């Protein structure tokens, strides 16, 4: 329950303005809780006089936390390749494991994984649990979930991380549900609290408009999916050594109730824009499909990939896997160049974590300029060719 | 075909703004809407019922005012609306939410097909759908972008992946979560609007669904929010000035670290 100390409350209204759900209102000089309170705690942190508190936070589930030790990373392997995010997770996993003074293990599932296990060791894993089976060649939630759940129950790691990819975001929630433990989606920061060794998981919510730090106080493992391109992979070190443990799951784990008939790598989706360093993105301001020819030329000059706003996708100029924003993908490249994108909040939600944002737009008042580090007001069809020429010139020099 | 669609009332993200001066969330004038992904789930459920017969029930967990999204779904073709509402549910994370929804569904009967939006736009977790499937012991497929076939016994669907799509055959019962490419939600008809107005919304409390109090709301949630804070503000924006050539020149200088 959200408790309001009426003696302390001065009716200033800060809590009301902080609540995204309309769950608290000031009336007759004091704050009142409404039905839509989600107990998120935003008002508690914001209250300057300490009048608000949340009670009843004691968790009803309790596990013996000391039974769980070690950091695990689920390493995604698909179409013969490791996902880049898996190596990034080994990077942060290594740090967390070193702080906790525990080993770092990787879980590799798939078919014909080749030297992927060795690669994971070179990137930081102490142990690789390798589950090789032809049944795992194609992803299904139930098989991957059953194998992962069984491995976790057997070895009891304190932390389990996975990439916030289509696959990670799909089967990991089922695993957490089965294990009766918490899961935090789409984390952008992970750290160990020094007092008690708890994993603090920070993630954006509300399309990136607020950040929340979350912990999993009384159950294990502490589980998180982590956005691609946020954590740094360690350089591959040929001298690193580790152990590969081959796991043969029992037949019942390798039975699926769904049947994957076909797995199609679509054109354009060969590039996963969530893994791109630089994105050149086009929007409604391109006026027509031919605008993307120009966008592609600029992308080529920058060794970048192409993305788009919802307006461009809805217009049919480019396919949905390229869409950035709330109903598309969330990206965090080093450089994001928004061309002819007005910057609706739904779009900004998907790209505001980019290191550097450039906006090119003919409308001086477009909201995209509010989030841009550098803005050019002008006609795309004039600016972009000149920009390409300048970049080529720079490359030549 | 008995279909149930789980929907959520969320604040409209386009109304949520950061106050640039204080860098805090401004809630002024924020409207509540049906989660956009859920609209596609409702639409698909109605289409399947139109071709195969049966009934579409929409279910939401939330405060009493969340009834509005149930009526909206009915105006778009759903048959029944059920509100799961109790102060005891407040503060539920995705684990406790999926438990609560599963209890509600078990109370309502048996369903061949459970549909959910991929995720809600306020939390963006995408965890409730898969969690619910686990609790219902149903196979599930997330991020459905296309239904190729829906018959009395099962479906063939396309699931969106990061690198393309998978074509998947499922038999009932099954839980699917959907993305917006799936369909174009219809606009409510006049008849639908009238029906929605008159519809009797069933309300279920924690006691009605026989929820264990240790597994719901804040205390039943394994995760705990430690802190909520505004994101770090971006640096000062810099509008380039001069002729187009001059601006391009300045930009290339700024972008030097990124150039190949």
């Amino acid at each position: 329950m959200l408790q309001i100390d009426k003696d302390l409350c001065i009716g200033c209204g800060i809590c009301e303005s902080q609540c995204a759900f309309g769950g608290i209102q000031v009336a007759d000089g004091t704050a009142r809780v409404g039905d839509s309170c989600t107990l998120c705690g935003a008002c508690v942190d914001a209250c300057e006089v300490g009048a608000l508190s949340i009670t009843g936070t004691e968790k009803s589930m309790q596990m013996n936390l000391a039974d769980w030790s070690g950091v695990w990373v689920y390493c995604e392997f698909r179409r013969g390749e490791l996902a880049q995010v898996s190596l990034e997770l080994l990077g942060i996993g290594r740090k967390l494991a070193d702080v906790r003074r525990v080993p770092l293990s990787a879980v590799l599932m798939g078919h014909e994984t080749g030297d992927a296990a060795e690669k994971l060791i070179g990137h930081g894993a102490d142990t690789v649990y390798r589950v090789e089976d032809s049944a795992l060649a194609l992803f299904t939630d139930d098989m991957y979930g059953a194998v992962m759940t069984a491995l976790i129950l057997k070895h009891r790691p304190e932390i389990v991380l996975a990439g916030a990819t289509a696959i990670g975001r799909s089967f990991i929630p089922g695993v957490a549900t089965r294990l009766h433990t918490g899961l935090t989606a789409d984390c952008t920061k992970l750290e160990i609290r020094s007092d008690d060794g708890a994993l603090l998981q920070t993630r954006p919510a509300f399309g990136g408009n607020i950040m929340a730090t979350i912990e999993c106080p009384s159950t294990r493992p502490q589980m998180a999916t982590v956005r691609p391109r946020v954590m740094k992979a360690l350089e591959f070190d040929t001298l690193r050594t580790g152990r590969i443990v081959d796991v043969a799951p029992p037949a019942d784990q390798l039975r699926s109730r769904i049947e994957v008939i076909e797995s199609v790598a679509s054109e354009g989706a060969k590039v996963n824009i969530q893994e791109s360093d630089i994105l050149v993105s086009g929007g409604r301001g391109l006026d027509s499909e031919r605008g993307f020819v120009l966008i592609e030329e600029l992308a080529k000059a920058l060794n970048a990939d192409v993305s788009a706003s919802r307006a461009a996708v809805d217009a049919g100029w480019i396919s949905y896997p390229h869409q950035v924003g709330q109903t598309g993908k969330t990206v965090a490249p080093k450089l994001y160049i928004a061309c002819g994108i007005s910057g609706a909040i739904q779009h900004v939600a998907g790209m505001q974590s980019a290191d550097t944002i450039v906006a090119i737009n003919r409308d001086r008042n477009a909201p995209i300029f509010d989030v841009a580090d550098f803005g050019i007001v002008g006609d795309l069809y004039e600016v972009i060719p000149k920009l390409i020429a300048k970049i080529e010139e720079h490359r030549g020099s | 075909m008995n279909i149930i669609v789980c929907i959520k009332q969320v604040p409209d993200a386009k109304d949520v703004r950061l106050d640039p001066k204080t860098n805090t969330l401004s809630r002024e004038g924020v409207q509540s809407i049906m989660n956009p992904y859920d609209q596609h789930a409702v639409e698909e459920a109605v289409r399947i019922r139109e071709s195969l017969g049966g009934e579409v029930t929409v279910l939401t967990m939330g405060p009493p005012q969340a009834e509005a999204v149930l009526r909206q779904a009915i105006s778009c073709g759903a048959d029944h609306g059920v509100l799961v509402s109790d102060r005891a549910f407040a503060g539920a994370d995705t684990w406790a939410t999926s438990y609560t929804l599963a209890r509600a569904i078990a109370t309502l009967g048996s369903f061949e097909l459970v549909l959910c939006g991929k995720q809600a736009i306020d939390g963006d977790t995408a965890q409730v759908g898969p969690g619910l499937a686990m609790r219902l012991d149903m196979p599930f497929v997330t991020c459905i972008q296309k239904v190729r076939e829906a018959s009395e016994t099962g479906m063939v669907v396309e699931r969106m992946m990061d690198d393309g799509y998978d074509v998947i055959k499922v038999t009932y019962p099954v839980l699917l979560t959907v993305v917006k490419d799936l369909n174009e939600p219809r606009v409510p008809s006049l008849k639908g609007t009238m029906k929605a107005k008159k519809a009797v919304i069933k309300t279920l409390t924690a006691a009605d669904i026989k929820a264990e109090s240790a597994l719901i709301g804040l205390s039943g949630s394994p995760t705990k929010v430690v802190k909520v804070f505004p994101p770090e503000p971006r640096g000062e924006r810099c509008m380039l000035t001069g002729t187009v050539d001059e601006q391009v020149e300045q930009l290339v200088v700024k972008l030097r670290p990124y150039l190949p």
Side-chain angles (χ1 to χ4, degrees), chain A residues 65-73 89-106 124-127 129 155-161 192 196-199 220-222 234 240-241 243:
Chain A
L65 306 188
D67 290 350
W68 302 73
S69 168
V71 176
W72 276 28
V73 172
L89 290 185
L90 288 176
I92 179 70
R94 186 71 262 166
K95 269 191 206 156
L96 299 174
D98 290 347
V99 174
R100 293 287 300 143
R101 300 206 181 110
V102 295
L104 172 66
S105 305
D126 298 315
T127 303
Y129 295 101
H155 299 280
R156 300 184 165 245
E158 64 196 89
I159 292 172
V160 176
L161 309 177
I192 300 288
D196 58 356
L199 180 68
R220 291 292 179 271
Q222 305 161 91
L234 299 170
R240 273 196 54 89
T241 54
R243 194 166 60 105

Side-chain angles (χ1 to χ4, degrees), chain B residues 23-45:
Chain B
N23 203 26
T24 56
L25 203 65
S26 158
R27 197 189 58 78
E28 239 170 288
V30 175
Q31 301 292 312
S32 290
I33 55 166
M34 190 196 302
N35 180 45
Y37 291 101
D38 302 349
Q39 298 178 17
H40 298 275
V42 170
E43 174 65 29
E44 200 60 35

Side-chain angles (χ1 to χ4, degrees), chain B residues 8-13 31-36 39 69 72 121:
Chain B
K8 186 179 184 188
Q9 187 180 48
V10 296
D12 192 350
Q31 301 292 312
S32 290
I33 55 166
M34 190 196 302
N35 180 45
Q39 298 178 17
V69 294
Q72 186 188 339
I121 61 164

Side-chain angles (χ1 to χ4, degrees), chain A residues 346-368:
Chain A
Q346 292 91 335
H347 183 76
V348 170
M351 46 64 88
Q352 62 187 350
S353 320
D355 292 348
T356 300
I357 295 171
V358 175
I360 306 169
N361 204 295
R362 63 188 158 216
D363 175 9
R364 175 171 298 278
N365 298 317
I368 191 75

Side-chain angles (χ1 to χ4, degrees), chain B residues 92-130:
Chain B
D93 70 359
T94 59
W95 195 94
T97 301
S98 64
Y99 170 77
T100 307
L101 290 174
R103 286 301 320 146
I105 290 173
T107 307
L108 291 169
S110 72
F111 297 88
E112 281 89 54
L113 178 61
V114 183
L115 292 173
C116 305
K118 172 181 97 158
Q119 64 193 46
I121 61 164
D122 51 355
D124 293 327
T125 71
Q127 290 173 186
V128 171

Side-chain angles (χ1 to χ4, degrees), chain A residues 16-22 34-40 42 45 54-61 78-79 139 141 165-167 169-170 173-174 176-178 180-186 202-203 205-217 219 257-266 269 272 274 278 301-303 310 314 320 323 326-327 329 334-335 345-346 352 354-358 369-377 382-383 386-387 390 394-395, chain B residues 11-18 24-27 30 36-37 40 62-65 87 90-95 98 118-119 121-128 130-135 137-143 145 148 156 159-171 174 179-181 213-215 218-232 234-241 244-245 247-249 251-252 254-256 258-260:
Chain A
E16 190 176 324
S17 70
Q18 286 293 301
C19 181
F21 305 95
D35 284 333
S36 50
C37 170
T38 65
L39 299 178
C40 75
D45 291 338
I54 290 177
T55 56
T57 58
E58 314 72 42
K59 299 297 172 194
S60 42
M61 275 171 286
R78 188 166 155 90
R79 299 194 205 286
F139 170 74
D141 285 279
T165 59
I167 287 177
R169 279 168 58 102
S170 189
T177 305
R178 270 246 181 107
H180 286 224
T181 194
L183 169 64
T184 306
D186 288 338
T202 299
R203 71 180 300 264
F206 252 110
N209 282 324
I210 47 177
M211 305 294 291
T213 301
I214 289 164
E215 67 170 315
C216 181
T219 53
R257 290 185 284 178
I258 66 166
E259 184 192 341
V260 182
I261 300 173
E262 187 189 4
S263 182
V264 183
S266 15
N272 178 4
Q274 286 176 307
I278 304 180
L302 285 163
N303 275 345
R310 177 174 178 168
D314 285 352
Y320 181 53
Q323 184 181 320
Q326 196 148 58
T327 52
K329 285 179 177 162
K334 295 193 176 108
L335 174 62
I345 184 88
Q346 292 91 335
Q352 62 187 350
D355 292 348
T356 300
I357 295 171
V358 175
F369 289 121
D370 294 337
V371 293
D373 298 290
F374 306 110
I376 293 184
V377 178
E382 184 189 357
V383 175
K386 286 186 167 161
L387 185 55
K390 260 291 172 252
H394 180 274
R395 197 206 304 263
Chain B
D12 192 350
K14 76 174 189 300
D15 296 332
V16 179
R17 286 270 186 283
L18 269 189
T24 56
L25 203 65
S26 158
R27 197 189 58 78
V30 175
Y37 291 101
H40 298 275
Q65 59 264 34
R87 285 299 304 163
D93 70 359
T94 59
W95 195 94
S98 64
K118 172 181 97 158
Q119 64 193 46
I121 61 164
D122 51 355
D124 293 327
T125 71
Q127 290 173 186
V128 171
L132 178 58
M134 279 296 165
R135 295 181 185 284
D137 192 25
M138 279 188 190
F140 68 98
V141 187
T142 56
C143 299
Q145 61 177 19
R148 287 191 176 181
V156 178
R159 119 186 260 168
M160 193 170 77
M161 301 296 281
D162 290 328
D163 56 2
Y165 63 91
D166 285 357
V167 183
I168 295 173
K169 191 173 168 188
V170 295
T171 48
V174 69
V179 298
K180 62 152 200 154
D181 260 21
S213 63
L215 303 180
L218 200 57
S219 68
S221 298
T223 61
K224 178 180 165 187
V225 178
V226 182
K227 190 169 72 158
V228 175
F229 57 100
E232 278 183 31
R234 295 195 68 87
E236 283 295 293
R237 68 176 177 149
C238 166
M239 293 297 283
L240 303 174
T241 53
V244 167
D245 289 289
Q247 291 187 50
V248 165
E249 177 79 50
L251 182 61
V252 171
K254 303 281 189 196
L255 296 187
R256 198 161 281 162
Y258 301 110
L259 298 184

Side-chain angles (χ1 to χ4, degrees), chain A residues 69-77 82-98 102-110 116-117 119-121 123-131 144 147-149 151-152 155-165 167-168 171-172 175 183 190 199 221-228 231-234 240 243 245:
Chain A
S69 168
V71 176
W72 276 28
V73 172
Y74 165 68
C75 294
E76 190 171 319
F77 183 88
L82 280 168
Q84 175 62 27
V85 68
S86 305
L87 306 182
E88 295 163 14
L89 290 185
L90 288 176
I92 179 70
R94 186 71 262 166
K95 269 191 206 156
L96 299 174
D98 290 347
V102 295
L104 172 66
S105 305
V107 177
L108 173 66
M109 278 186 242
K119 207 170 164 192
L120 297 175
I121 290 169
H123 280 282
D126 298 315
T127 303
V128 178
Y129 295 101
R130 179 167 61 189
V131 193
Y144 274 57
V147 171
M148 191 72 186
T149 306
L151 275 173
I152 291 173
H155 299 280
R156 300 184 165 245
E158 64 196 89
I159 292 172
V160 176
L161 309 177
T165 59
I167 287 177
F171 89 99
I172 294 291
V175 173
L183 169 64
L190 295 170
L199 180 68
Q222 305 161 91
M223 297 181 68
T225 62
V226 181
R227 284 206 178 152
M231 306 299 174
K232 279 217 158 38
L234 299 170
R240 273 196 54 89
R243 194 166 60 105
V245 179

